[in-house]
Amino acid sequence: MGRHRAPDSDAGEFEAATSAVPDVTGDYAVDVQHTRIGIRARHAMVTTVRGSFSEFAGTAHLDAADPPASSVELRIRTATVDTGVADRDAHLRSPDFLDVERYPEIVFRSTEVEEIDDDLYRVTGDLTIKDVTRPVSVDFALTGSALDPFGNLRVGFEGALAIKRSDWGLTWNTALDTGGVLVSDRIQIEFDVSAIRTG
């Protein structure tokens, strides 16, 4: 069991857990009720605003013996962004940012999976926000696996991805009188995923 730092993350370190199930190979669906997809950005150069998406769906194929044969797809409903402030959420849903009426989903599809350490995997794929698709890589730590009381095989993963929102056409901003801007270009997307084997 080792400690691994998420790339480009200031969220600190997390502990990768040894799998409790010997072979987690199979097809999985993301358990929305036990998964969090979060976002964070600097506001006015002085504080961090955090939020999350409440509606999303994801599938994965895991191959423990041959990790490059694994794959992941995730779809996030942009209209479900929630930072706890109604006016701010309405602005994020507007054409200034996510433009949810025209672009209802953020989509990630993996193109490569690489095992880089015990229970640590680098997932590379195409991230589509609005009408822009760009390649990204996320390091995911396998945080555990277990049979739950209902007989479901569950696996857990954690990871974080730092991106420049301007790379996806999210360029709205306002300059501050004291220098800098209202909303940071760099944002972080955080994944705390629980998935259930379906086959």
Side-chain angles (χ1 to χ4, degrees):
M1 183 160 50
R3 298 184 68 86
H4 308 290
R5 183 179 295 276
D8 300 318
S9 168
D10 60 0
E13 295 185 348
F14 49 86
E15 189 77 17
T18 301
S19 298
V21 177
D23 186 1
V24 296
T25 298
D27 296 318
Y28 288 80
V30 171
D31 178 0
V32 175
Q33 293 183 339
H34 296 96
T35 294
R36 179 179 181 273
I37 298 176
I39 55 171
R40 52 190 286 186
R42 298 289 288 176
H43 180 263
M45 312 295 289
V46 297
T47 191
T48 298
V49 171
R50 292 172 173 83
S52 62
F53 295 93
S54 60
E55 292 184 23
F56 45 87
T59 57
H61 174 74
L62 304 182
D63 191 324
D66 184 18
S70 302
S71 61
V72 178
E73 180 172 323
L74 182 65
R75 293 178 172 273
I76 303 167
R77 297 291 295 178
T78 53
T80 68
V81 65
D82 181 4
T83 65
V85 178
D87 287 347
R88 180 168 59 214
D89 294 343
H91 193 198
L92 289 173
R93 295 180 185 119
S94 78
D96 281 347
F97 286 98
L98 294 171
D99 198 358
V100 303
E101 294 295 326
R102 294 180 62 195
Y103 307 104
E105 290 185 327
I106 295 171
V107 178
F108 174 77
R109 291 188 182 93
S110 67
T111 55
E112 182 181 3
V113 177
E114 176 188 6
E115 184 176 16
I116 60 174
D117 203 346
D118 289 345
D119 298 326
L120 188 67
Y121 301 87
R122 180 159 296 152
V123 180
T124 300
D126 294 324
L127 177 65
T128 301
I129 304 175
K130 298 177 80 169
D131 56 353
V132 178
T133 300
R134 297 176 65 92
V136 297
S137 292
V138 187
D139 285 3
F140 282 101
L142 175 63
T143 55
S145 60
L147 284 172
D148 70 18
F150 307 102
N152 299 309
L153 174 57
R154 290 180 175 271
V155 295
F157 289 93
E158 291 181 359
L161 170 65
I163 65 172
K164 290 176 62 177
R165 61 188 177 88
S166 59
D167 288 344
W168 279 266
L170 303 173
T171 57
W172 183 91
N173 228 324
T174 296
L176 301 175
D177 291 342
T178 52
V181 291
L182 185 64
V183 183
S184 62
D185 189 23
R186 180 184 181 274
I187 64 172
Q188 185 162 287
I189 306 172
E190 301 164 334
F191 304 92
D192 295 293
V193 179
S194 178
I196 299 172
R197 188 160 70 181
T198 58

